[in-house]
Amino acid sequence: AGVCYQNLGMRDSAMKCYVASYDLAESVGEYTMVIDAGVNVGNLYRLKGENASAMQWHNDMIQMSEKIGYIDALSDLYKQLSEDYVAVGDYKNAYISQVRYKQFSDSIYNENNAQKLLELQVKYEVEKKEMELSRMENELETQESALQRTRLWMIGGIVGFVVLVGVIIFAVITAANRRRDKMIIQGQQDQINR
């Protein structure tokens, strides 16, 4: 709401909203929100031409940001403080604040790049492992398929062998029975002929 009021030129209403946000965040111990609201209060003071109050708010928020390690806010705060010093014509301190802004800005940029690089590396490693796992699964399926074919051939070979042995046994028994029957018939014919 404070930004809306500020954009409409209703600076007093915007200030009330920013201060209320600051107080609420402070009461619940949400210090990053306290700092963000404090930056807005300082910026609004500068817009109103109350540069000493703007610098005081920005310096207080810098101290709080340093205390809790809120680097993103430090970058913005040094930029705002640089603008505060420019507004009062203190270009030396404006330059010093601008250098600090650039240092924090570069630090944030490098940290973000390091994070992105780490994320890419992790993603690459995960994809590499997934591809290796997929390859191993395909290899396993191929081996299982080959093993299944080998089992089928073995079973077919055993069944074929058993059938062949059965046929041979049947043939031998049949041949033996025929010889026996032939000998019996021959013996009976010999007895009849005698």
Side-chain angles (χ1 to χ4, degrees), residues 25-38:
E26 189 175 45
S27 70
V28 296
E30 186 56 52
Y31 294 106
T32 57
M33 293 177 76
V34 168
I35 293 165
D36 293 339

Side-chain angles (χ1 to χ4, degrees), residues 10-187:
M10 301 172 68
R11 292 181 179 162
D12 290 335
S13 296
M15 183 63 80
K16 286 179 186 174
C17 287
Y18 290 149
V19 170
S21 294
Y22 179 91
D23 291 340
L24 178 63
E26 189 175 45
S27 70
V28 296
E30 186 56 52
Y31 294 106
T32 57
M33 293 177 76
V34 168
I35 293 165
D36 293 339
V39 170
N40 290 332
V41 170
N43 292 347
L44 192 55
Y45 273 126
R46 186 177 59 244
L47 285 174
K48 291 171 68 174
E50 298 177 33
N51 296 316
S53 294
M55 282 188 264
Q56 183 62 49
W57 273 90
H58 288 146
N59 276 314
D60 289 349
M61 295 306 102
I62 285 172
Q63 289 175 3
M64 190 179 295
S65 295
E66 287 173 344
K67 185 176 180 181
I68 67 168
Y70 191 14
I71 304 298
D72 290 336
L74 282 169
S75 174
D76 184 46
L77 279 161
Y78 277 110
K79 182 179 179 185
Q80 298 305 325
L81 189 59
S82 175
E83 292 177 21
D84 294 342
Y85 283 123
V86 167
V88 295
D90 185 349
Y91 298 107
K92 179 182 175 186
N93 281 321
Y95 174 76
I96 292 169
S97 295
Q98 186 67 26
V99 168
R100 294 289 290 160
Y101 157 70
K102 185 70 175 141
Q103 288 172 340
F104 281 107
S105 178
D106 288 348
S107 173
I108 292 167
Y109 177 77
N110 290 337
E111 186 178 310
N112 289 342
N113 281 344
Q115 181 65 30
K116 287 177 185 174
L117 183 61
L118 180 62
E119 288 171 5
L120 284 173
Q121 186 177 7
V122 167
K123 183 179 178 183
Y124 169 75
E125 291 296 327
V126 166
E127 287 177 359
K128 185 177 167 184
K129 294 289 183 190
E130 286 174 349
M131 286 174 47
E132 179 67 17
L133 183 60
S134 177
R135 185 190 63 76
M136 290 173 72
E137 286 173 351
N138 287 339
E139 224 174 79
L140 183 59
E141 287 174 10
T142 302
Q143 289 174 354
E144 286 177 355
S145 178
L147 183 60
Q148 186 67 24
R149 282 193 303 273
T150 303
R151 285 182 187 149
L152 288 174
W153 277 105
M154 287 178 67
I155 291 170
I158 291 171
V159 168
F161 180 73
V162 169
V163 168
L164 181 63
V165 168
V167 168
I168 291 172
I169 291 173
F170 178 74
V172 167
I173 291 173
T174 303
N177 285 341
R178 280 188 187 161
R179 259 187 269 137
R180 184 181 46 100
D181 289 346
K182 202 176 190 185
M183 287 172 64
I184 292 173
I185 292 174
Q186 185 69 36

